[in-house]
Amino acid sequence: GLSWTSRIVGDYQTAIEAAQKTVGLSGETQFNLTMLAQTHAAAGNKKIAVEILENLIAEQDKKFVSPYHLALIYCFLGEKEKA
């Protein structure tokens, strides 16, 4: 949606706002949180992206967390070797 499109064109503020709104409206689903983390990472907000990433990794003991979506976050953080 709007977050993804805005991120692609470099409008990170709009992308972050849209991702946060999605989390607020649809809940903290894995997909919504990974989109938010990717957006923060792309915008250079690495601390926030890493915090979300670490929370997702911690949840792996309790439920399935998509390795693909974790890999995308690592890519946006510039850590392609971890992806």
Side-chain angles (χ1 to χ4, degrees):
L2 179 60
S3 178
W4 184 82
T5 304
S6 297
R7 186 178 68 209
I8 295 295
V9 298
D11 184 359
Y12 298 118
Q13 185 61 39
T14 299
I16 290 169
E17 290 170 3
Q20 288 172 329
K21 186 172 184 177
T22 299
V23 170
L25 292 173
S26 300
E28 292 186 356
T29 67
Q30 181 185 145
F31 181 80
N32 292 344
L33 291 174
T34 56
M35 176 63 75
L36 182 59
Q38 292 166 27
T39 303
H40 274 294
N45 302 327
K46 292 188 177 195
K47 183 177 178 180
I48 296 170
V50 168
E51 183 179 313
I52 297 168
L53 175 62
E54 289 173 349
N55 289 336
L56 289 165
I57 290 170
E59 290 183 12
Q60 285 180 313
D61 292 338
K62 301 173 199 161
K63 62 182 179 181
F64 175 78
V65 177
S66 169
Y68 169 77
H69 288 109
L70 295 179
L72 286 175
I73 298 168
Y74 280 119
C75 287
F76 278 102
L77 287 168
E79 299 181 24
K80 293 181 171 85
E81 67 285 347
K82 290 185 180 180

